[in-house]
Amino acid sequence: MDLAASVTRQLARVVSPTGGGGSKQLYFLAFVAVFTLMISFSSPVFVQSGPYLAGLVLLALTTVAAFTVPWERLPTWCGAVIPVLDIVSVGLFRDVLRTEASAVSLLTIIPAIWLVARLRIPGAVIATLCVTVAIAGPALVRSAPDINSTDIARALLLPFTVLQVGLLAAGALKVLDGQARRMTATLREKEELLEATATWERLLENILDSVPVGIVVVDRDGHDVLMNRAQKAFHAHCSPSDIQNPEESQLLLRYPGTTTVIPPEQRPVRRAVLQETFSNYVISAGPPGQVGTKFSTSARQILDRHGNRDGAVVVFSDVSSYVDAVRAQQQFVAAVSHELRTPLTSVIGYLELAMDEEELPKGAAMHLAVANRNAEQLLTLVQDLLHDQVTRSTVDGLELRPHRVSLIAQEVLESAAPQAEKRGISLSGEIDESPVMLVDAKRLTQAISNLLSNALKYTPRGGRIQVHCRLVDGAVEVSVIDSGIGMSDQEQTNLFTEYYRTETARSSPIPGHGIGLALTRALVLAHGGQISVRSTPGTGSTFTIRLSVDRVSTS
Ligand code: ADP
């Protein structure tokens, strides 16, 4: 194996146009030695002649010089010395064998090609000159007395051949040189590019690991491509103790404030893999029975340079302290408003009693009426405040009872009819009876009412609204379809985020706070369902609530 490798290496050096001068010379010497041996068997007299022996000695000395002189440290032109001496040796052999084996002069082609390989076109010229002097010259001198044009032509045949071969070899080497230069430049560029990529990768890794939010990147097939340090910690935090390296579907994730486990296709990474883009989707993570850590999650799709989907990035940020602070504030406001309501009710009661007195001076009756009006206004404000807090905490405890969603949809439709008529909007329904399911009828009524009241708000007079309730693929789907102002794709991205209102809604006189859809979504998710929207600006919107018939649970 080692021998084979060493022979291969040696051959590569010999084949190389520029390297391995010593090896080439050794092979040349070996061939001349074999050639000489063969001649010496039949015609020893040639080999013993002075010029032939001189040629052999010169060849031997040249071979020694090829190995001992540090040619690579000398100027380039010095590389011509060895091939020139070889041509001179061949000239001496040729002189002796001119009648018996004149073809020996063909050996000059080999050193001639070495010369070209080292010096390119100047090498071809030097080789031609040397062959002319060492071989053609002596031949012409010998036939000098009665030289004719045939003798001259014959003598010049070899120098001409050497020149042709040399020029062809120089041309081929020039092409190879160009290719080698281009390849070297390309390789250098690639190396620089690799170096730059590695530097960026390290930088990106450091940045990703130093941010306090969890980041997951998945490819278009949903496989994890990248997960930063914070995200690994999040994963560990909500992994079941008996499963190592759990998948997202096995993580301990619940809807915030509930014990409802988030179904696999509602989990943030899965939603991103299903090509959803969302913001501020809050989930609770941690073992059941403990106050979970709240994470706000957002997802964006990654597009390649052709605009095709190439994966998704999902970001998890711990919002527990924010959520706790908001909850504490809500509880405080609820408590204060509750405390204010009781004395206020009493104040209004006594004011009404006082106003019922018949012998009140006119001025006092007017003052009491103003006081009563303001007290009533204050009570409405306090009640609204309390109602808002109660509404917001709805998701905290669902009361699931057997009920038909189709009935709820029908009731919501009927109660919206007078308002639709007043606003000049045609309201119709296609309600198929749905199976009995475990739902919180009050909360679901609230969710569907929110969608319908939005449809009424955002559909101009003369428009059309339809409410559909259907059983599709084992799920009940309630859709509210309007022919209203609609929304762009960009506006739909943040639609379910609290306090978000579209630009069109904000610049219109239509009142709103951007709370309804966030709450509706939370209610639907608490039922283990999904909510989606399809909308086109100026044409209308369709909001759909989907509740799986067998997946409504509180576990
Ligand atoms: P709001 O009180 O502003 O209506 P919502 O949370 O119910 O709050 O809705 C959020 C935003 O979504 C609205 O401000 C509006 O821009 C948009 N929106 C909701 N429903 C519709 C609809 N049916 N048509 C057009 N835009 C809608």
Side-chain angles (χ1 to χ4, degrees):
M1 192 68 188
D2 281 353
L3 183 70
S6 136
V7 169
T8 313
R9 242 189 341 266
Q10 282 298 321
L11 277 175
R13 285 164 65 76
V14 175
V15 173
S16 151
T18 47
S23 314
K24 283 193 188 73
Q25 181 61 21
L26 205 59
Y27 280 92
F28 188 65
L29 175 70
F31 178 76
V32 174
V34 172
F35 174 80
T36 305
L37 209 63
M38 287 160 76
I39 299 272
S40 62
F41 281 134
S42 48
S43 323
V45 58
F46 289 130
V47 176
Q48 288 156 7
S49 69
Y52 202 101
L53 286 175
L56 283 178
V57 170
L58 182 59
L59 197 60
L61 289 175
T62 308
T63 307
V64 171
F67 278 100
T68 51
V69 176
W71 298 105
E72 60 287 354
R73 276 189 249 142
L74 300 177
T76 321
W77 64 264
C78 294
V81 173
I82 300 284
V84 165
L85 291 177
D86 283 342
I87 293 174
V88 174
S89 304
V90 175
L92 290 168
F93 301 146
R94 194 311 181 157
D95 197 45
V96 176
L97 300 171
R98 63 186 174 276
T99 48
E100 301 298 314
S102 63
V104 72
S105 52
L106 283 177
L107 276 176
T108 50
I109 301 265
I110 296 166
I113 288 178
W114 295 348
L115 272 168
V116 174
R118 295 221 163 96
L119 307 176
R120 301 296 187 262
I121 290 180
V125 175
I126 294 173
T128 309
L129 286 177
C130 288
V131 169
T132 311
V133 173
I135 292 174
L140 286 173
V141 170
R142 247 179 248 288
S143 38
D146 26 49
I147 192 165
N148 58 32
S149 60
T150 310
D151 295 330
I152 296 173
R154 197 186 303 131
L156 289 180
L157 201 59
L158 187 64
F160 177 72
T161 307
V162 166
L163 184 66
Q164 278 301 302
V165 170
L167 289 177
L168 279 175
L173 284 170
K174 196 174 164 200
V175 173
L176 283 178
D177 285 346
Q179 281 178 355
R181 262 196 308 277
R182 277 195 297 279
M183 256 163 70
T184 313
T186 313
L187 272 176
R188 201 176 304 123
E189 266 173 34
K190 279 195 177 151
E191 265 169 26
E192 282 168 9
L193 219 64
L194 274 175
E195 183 64 31
T197 312
T199 309
W200 271 105
E201 208 174 297
R202 276 196 302 276
L203 188 72
L204 206 65
E205 238 170 59
N206 283 328
I207 293 172
L208 286 177
D209 279 345
S210 60
V211 293
V213 293
I215 298 170
V216 188
V217 179
V218 286
D219 64 16
R220 66 169 79 88
D221 302 319
H223 301 123
D224 285 357
V225 177
L226 182 151
M227 194 185 273
N228 73 343
R229 196 177 292 162
Q231 184 58 17
K232 286 180 190 151
F234 160 73
H235 229 255
H237 172 70
C238 51
S239 296
S241 52
D242 53 337
I243 305 180
Q244 273 212 333
N245 292 330
E247 309 217 317
E248 196 203 25
S249 59
Q250 298 170 310
L251 296 178
L252 304 169
L253 301 183
R254 286 166 282 143
Y255 290 114
T258 72
T259 51
T260 310
V261 173
I262 303 180
E265 66 279 9
Q266 280 301 315
R267 296 183 171 221
V269 178
R270 187 72 196 136
R271 283 182 65 189
V273 172
L274 294 174
Q275 308 198 11
E276 262 192 74
T277 292
F278 53 88
S279 304
N280 198 19
Y281 173 47
V282 181
I283 56 167
S284 177
Q290 285 183 17
V291 183
T293 312
K294 315 283 184 307
F295 286 92
S296 165
T297 65
S298 304
R300 292 285 177 278
Q301 300 300 316
I302 302 169
L303 303 180
D304 65 15
R305 60 200 171 92
H306 305 295
N308 300 323
R309 189 178 161 271
D310 203 22
V313 54
V314 189
V315 177
F316 291 69
S317 60
D318 184 345
V319 289
S320 298
S321 51
Y322 169 74
V323 170
D324 291 346
V326 170
R327 181 145 299 164
Q329 187 215 7
Q330 284 171 0
Q331 281 165 357
F332 172 73
V333 174
V336 169
S337 45
H338 183 75
E339 292 304 315
L340 284 176
R341 199 169 53 156
T342 321
L344 248 179
T345 318
S346 157
V347 167
I348 291 169
Y350 281 104
L351 279 174
E352 279 168 358
L353 278 180
M355 284 195 303
D356 287 346
E357 289 287 333
E358 284 177 2
E359 283 147 32
L360 271 180
K362 206 176 158 209
M366 213 178 74
H367 292 157
L368 282 175
V370 173
N372 188 45
R373 222 176 27 247
N374 281 298
E376 292 273 9
Q377 208 176 338
L378 201 57
L379 183 64
T380 315
L381 280 176
V382 167
Q383 270 169 344
D384 278 357
L385 218 56
L386 198 58
H387 175 75
D388 190 30
Q389 300 309 316
V390 173
T391 317
R392 277 156 168 270
S393 57
T394 47
V395 184
D396 286 1
L398 290 186
E399 288 177 19
L400 300 183
R401 303 241 160 73
H403 208 92
R404 285 187 204 279
V405 176
S406 52
L407 265 183
I408 300 174
Q410 185 65 43
E411 280 163 17
V412 172
L413 179 69
E414 281 164 14
S415 54
Q419 206 192 340
E421 200 184 325
K422 205 166 108 195
R423 299 175 70 106
I425 294 169
S426 112
L427 176 64
S428 61
E430 281 176 32
I431 314 274
D432 298 345
E433 189 179 72
S434 65
V436 173
M437 292 156 60
L438 277 181
V439 290
D440 186 325
K442 241 164 81 186
R443 311 291 186 234
L444 219 49
T445 302
Q446 193 181 356
I448 302 172
S449 297
N450 278 349
L451 297 185
L452 195 50
S453 90
N454 273 351
L456 285 165
K457 262 191 341 189
Y458 298 107
T459 303
R461 183 169 281 278
R464 212 159 24 85
I465 299 176
Q466 290 167 284
V467 178
H468 290 176
C469 178
R470 296 205 173 111
L471 197 63
V472 185
D473 299 334
V476 177
E477 280 190 2
V478 179
S479 304
V480 178
I481 308 152
D482 68 52
S483 62
I485 58 172
M487 287 159 276
S488 67
D489 288 351
Q490 178 59 33
E491 288 174 328
Q492 288 169 46
T493 313
N494 295 311
L495 205 58
F496 297 99
T497 308
E498 279 189 10
Y499 306 113
Y500 174 79
R501 302 197 73 207
T502 60
E503 185 57 45
T504 331
R506 268 186 279 132
S507 53
S508 76
I510 307 168
H513 302 290
I515 298 286
L517 282 182
L519 180 66
T520 306
R521 179 187 169 90
L523 287 168
V524 173
L525 294 184
H527 277 85
Q530 295 161 26
I531 183 166
S532 58
V533 60
R534 270 184 297 120
S535 186
T536 314
T539 306
S541 314
T542 300
F543 282 85
T544 303
I545 292 175
R546 189 181 152 88
L547 297 173
S548 175
V549 172
D550 52 2
R551 220 179 342 92
V552 176
S553 84
T554 49
S555 59

